Amino acid sequence: MRKRLGMITPSSNSVLEPVTSAMLAGASGVTAHFSRFRVTEIALDAAALSQFDASVLLPAADLLADAKVDAIAWNGTSASWLGIGRDRSLCEAITTRTSVPATTSTLACIDAARALGTRRVGLVSPYTDDVQRRIGEVWTEEGIAPHAERHLGLRDNFSFGEVEPSAIADMIRAVAAEGADAIVILCTNLDGAALAASLERELNIAVLDSVAVTLWRSLELAGGDIRALAQWGRIFQTSAVIK
């Protein structure tokens, strides 16, 4: 059965669209459809935070609904520093407007960590010191206190997509060495999805890339077969556990 997945995408993100499409190349009958809105930087000042107001995200969801998608995802991690309640409210608003089930990258990552029974999550991101500290606070409030982390100190959203996969892999290995039992690549503009399966074999821990996990949760919400993507990591062999 055909499944259409709608993705709300930051305008300066150059990673999530090609990666999502590549992942779906082997999934018969599943397609991804994208709607952009303007995001150029990640910071905690008022201008940067205002980029993620629901008033700009909801029209993007409306456009995806025109394509009769079966699920809609805000394919970004902003609630990790804005607060998880923002994404829960956004998903409720999207579903109320469109009658389409909704998720976000942050909610999907939390769902994945819980589904895998993670006790010591590691966070890898491109963000600045203050944003990374805030992420740790928000995740702790959700009951998932980061055990270890690495970040790159970047602010310009486009620059995240220029980070070499080898640098991402080095951060993952460093966090794993500190005892994390699952690692979240927390940014949908870091090119980490293709690293997950091989690093899982190397390190014997789950590697949860934000783009991949958003696709996992979206496909499950749409009623699709997540096992068709099993080669992209162990999360695609695990159903979500929502608490």
Side-chain angles (χ1 to χ4, degrees):
M1 184 179 297
R2 182 179 178 88
K3 299 295 181 184
R4 301 180 183 90
L5 308 178
M7 305 290 183
I8 302 173
T9 307
S11 60
S12 52
N13 188 309
S14 63
V15 168
L16 79 85
E17 289 170 315
V19 168
T20 300
S21 296
M23 293 181 71
L24 289 177
S28 178
V30 183
T31 54
H33 307 271
F34 304 93
S35 184
R36 288 183 176 242
F37 74 104
R38 176 148 289 163
V39 176
T40 60
E41 61 180 352
I42 302 301
L44 298 183
D45 59 79
L49 296 178
S50 68
Q51 298 172 115
F52 302 104
D53 192 84
S55 64
V56 294
L57 284 152
L58 290 172
D62 291 339
L63 296 177
L64 290 169
D66 289 347
K68 309 297 183 186
V69 295
D70 299 290
I72 294 174
W74 154 220
N75 210 320
T77 55
S78 58
S80 288
W81 57 91
L82 288 170
I84 305 301
R86 288 281 293 265
D87 271 6
R88 292 198 174 107
S89 295
L90 175 67
C91 290
E92 290 174 5
I94 289 172
T95 300
T96 296
R97 289 165 71 109
T98 67
S99 299
V100 177
T103 190
T104 74
S105 297
T106 294
L107 294 178
C109 286
I110 289 171
D111 290 344
R114 288 176 172 160
L116 292 170
T118 301
R119 296 180 181 274
R120 300 183 304 277
V121 69
L123 294 181
V124 167
S125 91
Y127 304 128
T128 55
D129 294 347
D130 57 346
V131 172
Q132 191 79 346
R133 282 194 300 271
R134 179 58 183 150
I135 291 168
E137 294 166 359
V138 169
W139 278 59
T140 298
E141 291 168 0
E142 194 63 20
I144 305 176
H147 176 78
E149 63 86 19
R150 290 292 188 279
H151 61 284
L152 295 173
L154 301 176
R155 175 177 175 134
D156 173 61
N157 195 64
F158 178 80
S159 70
F160 305 164
E162 300 294 286
V163 176
E164 291 293 333
S166 59
I168 301 169
D170 287 344
M171 290 195 291
I172 291 170
R173 292 187 179 100
V175 171
E178 294 187 19
D181 60 9
I183 296 170
V184 176
I185 305 171
L186 191 68
C187 176
T188 63
N189 202 23
L190 279 182
D191 193 7
L195 302 172
S198 62
L199 285 173
E200 286 179 339
R201 291 190 293 269
E202 174 188 332
L203 303 171
N204 195 29
I205 60 174
V207 177
L208 302 172
D209 173 76
S210 292
V211 174
V213 171
T214 305
L215 179 56
W216 161 77
R217 187 65 186 119
S218 300
L219 184 56
E220 191 169 55
L221 280 177
D225 182 9
I226 60 173
R227 294 169 299 175
L229 302 175
Q231 73 270 25
W232 290 91
R234 64 180 65 175
I235 191 57
F236 290 100
Q237 302 172 47
T238 307
S239 294
V241 176
I242 308 301
K243 296 181 181 180

